[in-house]
Amino acid sequence: MSNDSATKPRGLVGQITAYFINSQLTVLLVIALTAFSIGTFILVPKEENPQINVPGASVTFTYPGAPAEVVEKSVTTMMESRIRELEGIDHIYSTSVNSGSEIGVQFLVGSDWEKSIFKLQDQLFSSRDLLPPGVSYEVQPSRTDDVPIVTLSLTGKDYSDNQLHRVGERILEELRKIPDTGVLTINGGQPRMIAVDLNPDKLASYQLSPEAIAQSLQAANAELPAGDVSNGQSRLFIEGGSLFQSTEDIAQIIVGFSRDRSPIYLRDVATVRDDFRDRTSYSRIHFRLRPSIEDVANRHQAVVKFLEKPAGPPQRATVMTEIYGPDYTQLRELSKQVHQVFNNTKEIVDIDDSTRNQIPQMQLTVDQDKSMRAGITPTDVAETLNVLLRGSDVSTLKIPGEILPVGIQLRFSEEFRRNLDDLSRIQLPTSTGSLVPLTELVNQQPTIVDQPIFHKDQQSVVYVTGEMGNRSSIYAVLDQLFYFTRHPLPAGYWIKWDGEWKTTVDLFRDIALVLTAATAMIYMLLVGQFHSFKIPVIILGSIPLSLIGILVAFALNGAYFSALSMIGVIALAGMVIRNSIVLLEFIQERLREGADLQHAILEAGAVRFRPILLTSLAAILGNAPILLDPIWAGLGWTIITGMMASSALTMVVIPLIYYSDRLKRSQPANESPDSNHSQNNTGGESYAS
């Protein structure tokens, strides 16, 4: 056989191979390719997750004083229909609440971000005449890949929240100097502020309004260029006004005059102090502590939400049900039933829904007759309440050592904003300059805060969400499907499942279609190679053989078969059939040379065992580092275990199947295999395709 091989003429590939075996150019090419590979590894941009371009935007509408139902009918529904007219819209989400609504627009994956946002803004601008008077809107574009690439966590045993915040500001200044740095933000800590705590009793005694105090602070803290004058051969620039230099300067400003024309200083009606804003801190909690944390929260009647960032596109929850129907009150009642089903479903945790508990509120209705006589509008009342109860920054103070100006917050002192009786202390300026108590202009009416109204794709919907514990979400959803099959919702109402679970199912479906298409193309190539319809089927048997090792390994490891595992099966399909091709090609070559079937199969196993073993080990060792990555480990486990099982079983199963098939084809239909066993030792011409 070796002599025959030596006398065979070389083809083009053989001639190229023979040239490079003894050529010095081979060494140079190997060095060049090595250097190119190292340079590519260093220079190619790297990213943890692939870029998934899903353009979107959040449109916020403000309709002061309008109830949620009015906002839904007059603003949300109208603008949803106008937005739906645009091309490339995937989903439209909306939430209508008291005094406003928010519409979330999600475009199709891969849409051009700039064109999509421009079309949306143009459509909103052309539809502004359809909005009720007094409604304003703001568009906030968003992208799914608009997430931080680096997050720095600052901690310090002997540092306060404010000190950590100041350190963060200085780090931010240094990071901004790095080329191509994008948006930088700080979360957490306690930023510094200058608190101006108003005393309503003293304001009333001096007949001063909060609005007058705010105007005085703004007017006293101003410095503007006044121009320049000529001074011989030079010019002198002049600035007018002055800025606050300290808290003492703020306390010393004049905010009014008494009846005897003596000045009234800010310190007479308020306390000025250097303070910090409300505390905002973040903690990183390992999920193995979930049971302990939930137990503590239950004992103290607290609510804890565990947040995690899954790989892939962003999702609202792992398991999410959407309940649709004509009546929103009934939808809220059904959400409670679905919530209970979630509670009864094994290993679903962090359950929540879109309905809210009834929150009491005190509605201050302005007496139109009295307010018109006093020259005070309902907006004046609302703005005054916002400043006094929530607080409002009316100016700034530049403090040495602080990178950013410190806000000056105007607010009622804490002891004067603890209950509704303190509202009687608030006085508003009338058109004549006098003050009138707020309680004389408004009527107090106890009500309930409006429940939010949700839409998805222009249909009323309520949501029930949950995260998964130590269980696959697919089994949890199947349990719920069986339950609602036995206990359907009322007529006219239906339920859909969404969230990360649906994304996973859709991804499995798409990958299965890709695997089917890949298998079909491999089959066509094998038919062309072997000129047979049956032999390619035998070769493709290596794929299910690899699945045996994959499923057993995943079961023993306690891991879930993820989408990345499916991608591993696709990659594995092309690798494992190579072993079968190598075996069957050798067998057929020996049969054409006259060898008998059994001898050809045994010789193929002996000769091809080492190449198959070496190529399999190379693939296994090459994919071993992937096992160290928690996200991509599923891909590594699939390729490694599938290659191990397929390599071992292919050496036995595939030759047996081929032997059985050829044996059946070689014997007459009326004779048994035992009676013709001796025919197996005949020449191989009758077995060759």
Side-chain angles (χ1 to χ4, degrees):
M1 186 172 111
S2 59
N3 294 333
D4 294 340
S5 301
T7 57
K8 287 182 180 179
R10 296 193 183 106
L12 177 62
V13 176
Q15 293 177 5
I16 295 174
T17 303
Y19 172 79
F20 279 103
I21 287 177
N22 299 315
S23 174
Q24 288 77 10
L25 186 61
T26 305
V27 178
L28 297 178
L29 286 176
V30 170
I31 296 174
L33 290 174
T34 303
F36 177 78
S37 301
I38 296 174
T40 302
F41 176 78
I42 297 173
L43 298 177
V44 169
K46 302 169 185 63
E47 192 169 21
E48 179 183 3
N49 291 326
Q51 290 283 351
I52 303 175
N53 184 22
V54 184
S58 176
V59 187
T60 304
F61 295 88
T62 304
Y63 192 1
E69 293 185 357
V70 174
V71 173
E72 179 203 18
K73 291 180 171 59
S74 61
V75 177
T76 307
T77 302
M78 179 70 67
M79 300 313 295
E80 282 178 337
S81 61
R82 293 288 292 160
I83 294 173
R84 177 54 72 178
E85 296 175 2
L86 297 174
E87 294 182 359
I89 298 292
D90 191 9
H91 293 295
I92 299 177
Y93 304 89
S94 70
T95 306
S96 301
V97 296
N98 187 292
S99 300
S101 71
E102 182 177 352
I103 298 179
V105 183
Q106 179 179 318
F107 293 89
L108 293 172
V109 177
S111 300
D112 185 89
W113 186 79
E114 293 184 357
K115 291 182 179 179
S116 300
I117 300 302
F118 177 79
K119 290 190 300 181
L120 175 62
Q121 291 178 329
D122 184 64
Q123 184 77 339
L124 292 171
F125 183 79
S126 63
S127 306
R128 66 190 188 282
D129 294 337
L130 300 176
L131 296 172
V135 176
S136 60
Y137 70 88
E138 180 182 0
V139 180
Q140 182 65 41
S142 63
R143 299 172 64 170
T144 54
D145 59 351
D146 190 14
V147 295
I149 60 172
V150 176
T151 301
L152 302 178
S153 300
L154 301 181
T155 60
K157 181 179 180 181
D158 299 323
Y159 285 79
S160 65
D161 288 349
N162 173 255
Q163 290 173 324
L164 288 174
H165 188 86
R166 296 179 66 186
V167 172
E169 289 179 338
R170 282 152 180 78
I171 293 177
L172 228 60
E173 288 297 307
E174 295 300 320
L175 293 177
R176 287 193 175 97
K177 300 176 184 178
I178 300 176
D180 301 325
T181 301
V183 179
L184 298 171
T185 58
I186 296 180
N187 294 321
Q190 285 184 286
R192 195 173 180 179
M193 75 168 183
I194 304 300
V196 179
D197 297 330
L198 296 174
N199 187 315
D201 295 334
K202 293 183 178 180
L203 287 176
S205 65
Y206 286 111
Q207 291 190 329
L208 291 174
S209 66
E211 182 181 359
I213 303 297
Q215 292 175 353
S216 298
L217 283 168
Q218 294 168 352
N221 191 34
E223 188 177 71
L224 298 174
D228 57 82
V229 295
S230 177
N231 184 15
Q233 295 182 350
S234 62
R235 304 189 67 83
L236 181 64
F237 291 92
I238 300 174
E239 287 188 348
S242 62
L243 299 177
F244 295 142
Q245 301 297 320
S246 64
T247 55
E248 289 76 13
D249 291 348
I250 300 174
Q252 290 290 343
I253 69 167
I254 298 175
V255 295
F257 294 91
S258 61
R259 293 180 180 179
D260 60 359
R261 303 305 299 168
S262 59
I264 304 172
Y265 298 98
L266 181 60
R267 65 173 183 266
D268 298 329
V269 295
T271 301
V272 181
R273 54 191 176 86
D274 195 336
D275 199 7
F276 307 109
R277 298 188 186 275
D278 293 339
R279 181 189 303 272
T280 304
S281 60
Y282 297 82
S283 299
R284 293 178 175 269
I285 301 172
H286 201 286
F287 277 76
R288 284 182 297 182
L289 302 178
R290 180 194 294 268
S292 301
I293 296 172
E294 290 179 340
D295 181 61
V296 173
N298 292 333
R299 290 203 307 268
H300 294 275
Q301 297 181 346
V303 177
V304 178
K305 291 291 291 182
F306 293 88
L307 303 177
E308 57 182 324
K309 179 183 178 295
Q315 296 294 336
R316 298 180 61 178
T318 303
V319 180
M320 179 172 67
T321 58
E322 303 169 348
I323 311 167
Y324 297 89
D327 183 69
Y328 212 84
T329 302
Q330 180 66 16
L331 285 177
R332 293 191 180 108
E333 293 298 321
L334 291 175
S335 71
K336 297 178 182 178
Q337 300 178 21
V338 177
H339 194 289
Q340 187 60 41
V341 174
F342 269 63
N343 285 329
N344 296 334
T345 304
K346 183 181 177 181
E347 289 295 336
I348 291 189
V349 298
D350 296 343
I351 302 170
D352 197 4
D353 58 62
S354 59
T355 60
R356 296 293 177 263
N357 296 328
Q358 292 188 343
I359 303 174
Q361 72 173 359
M362 182 61 68
Q363 184 175 0
L364 302 180
T365 305
V366 178
D367 189 309
Q368 297 290 337
D369 182 63
K370 292 182 180 180
S371 65
M372 291 299 293
R373 292 177 185 272
I376 299 174
T377 65
T379 303
D380 295 333
V381 175
E383 290 179 351
T384 301
L385 288 172
N386 181 68
V387 170
L388 298 180
L389 301 179
R390 181 178 297 177
S392 176
D393 285 2
V394 296
S395 191
T396 59
L397 172 64
K398 187 67 178 74
I399 300 178
E402 293 289 345
I403 295 178
L404 300 176
V406 177
I408 301 175
Q409 187 183 79
L410 190 66
R411 196 177 189 183
F412 261 17
S413 297
E414 185 178 359
E415 64 267 24
F416 298 113
R417 47 184 168 87
R418 292 175 177 171
N419 53 61
L420 289 174
D421 294 337
D422 293 328
L423 295 178
S424 61
R425 304 171 184 265
I426 302 176
Q427 300 196 49
L428 302 177
T430 65
S431 57
T432 61
S434 60
L435 296 175
V436 58
L438 175 66
T439 52
E440 294 185 9
L441 300 177
V442 298
N443 299 316
Q444 298 184 18
Q445 181 181 359
T447 59
I448 301 297
V449 175
D450 287 348
Q451 290 271 9
I453 301 174
F454 296 90
H455 286 184
K456 180 180 179 182
D457 296 331
Q458 300 177 268
Q459 292 182 321
S460 298
V461 63
V462 294
Y463 302 100
V464 180
T465 62
E467 303 296 334
M468 291 307 304
N470 189 22
R471 192 188 186 200
S472 172
S473 59
I474 294 179
Y475 301 126
V477 173
L478 288 176
D479 290 345
Q480 295 177 359
L481 283 171
F482 293 146
Y483 176 86
F484 287 108
T485 301
R486 300 189 302 269
H487 306 86
L489 298 181
Y493 297 86
W494 68 97
I495 188 171
K496 291 172 59 178
W497 277 263
D498 203 340
E500 185 183 339
W501 170 84
K502 184 176 183 300
T503 302
T504 302
V505 172
D506 292 343
L507 191 59
F508 268 81
R509 178 202 61 202
D510 296 340
I511 294 177
L513 293 176
V514 171
L515 178 60
T516 302
T519 304
M521 288 187 289
I522 293 173
Y523 177 79
M524 288 188 290
L525 289 175
L526 293 177
V527 169
Q529 171 69 21
F530 289 94
H531 306 288
S532 170
F533 293 107
K534 184 175 289 187
I535 292 179
V537 176
I538 298 174
I539 293 175
L540 291 175
S542 299
I543 298 177
L545 292 179
S546 65
L547 291 177
I548 296 175
I550 294 171
L551 297 178
V552 171
F554 272 74
L556 295 177
N557 194 37
Y560 292 122
F561 194 77
S562 62
L564 286 174
S565 304
M566 283 287 289
I567 295 175
V569 173
I570 296 176
L572 194 63
M575 291 188 285
V576 297
I577 65 171
R578 177 185 54 198
N579 298 336
S580 299
I581 293 174
V582 168
L583 280 174
L584 295 190
E585 271 194 332
F586 186 90
I587 293 173
Q588 291 203 316
E589 180 68 23
R590 296 294 292 123
L591 291 176
R592 284 191 290 267
E593 293 173 357
D596 64 88
L597 180 60
Q598 289 186 1
H599 181 76
I601 292 176
L602 294 175
E603 187 178 0
V607 174
R608 296 303 187 192
F609 174 74
R610 180 178 294 179
I612 291 175
L613 177 63
L614 292 177
T615 55
S616 299
L617 285 176
I620 291 171
L621 296 176
N623 287 277
I626 303 179
L627 300 178
L628 303 176
D629 190 284
I631 297 177
W632 295 90
L635 177 64
W637 278 112
T638 300
I639 295 177
I640 291 174
T641 58
M643 181 64 70
M644 292 173 61
S646 178
S647 300
L649 295 176
T650 296
M651 296 296 298
V652 179
V653 177
I654 298 301
L656 287 177
I657 296 176
Y658 182 79
Y659 177 82
S660 176
D661 175 70
R662 303 302 291 182
L663 192 61
K664 290 179 181 178
R665 292 174 56 185
S666 65
Q667 64 185 10
N670 58 349
E671 295 182 6
S672 64
D674 295 336
S675 61
N676 291 276
H677 180 72
S678 60
Q679 297 182 9
N680 294 338
N681 295 324
T682 61
E685 191 65 32
S686 61
Y687 303 106
S689 299

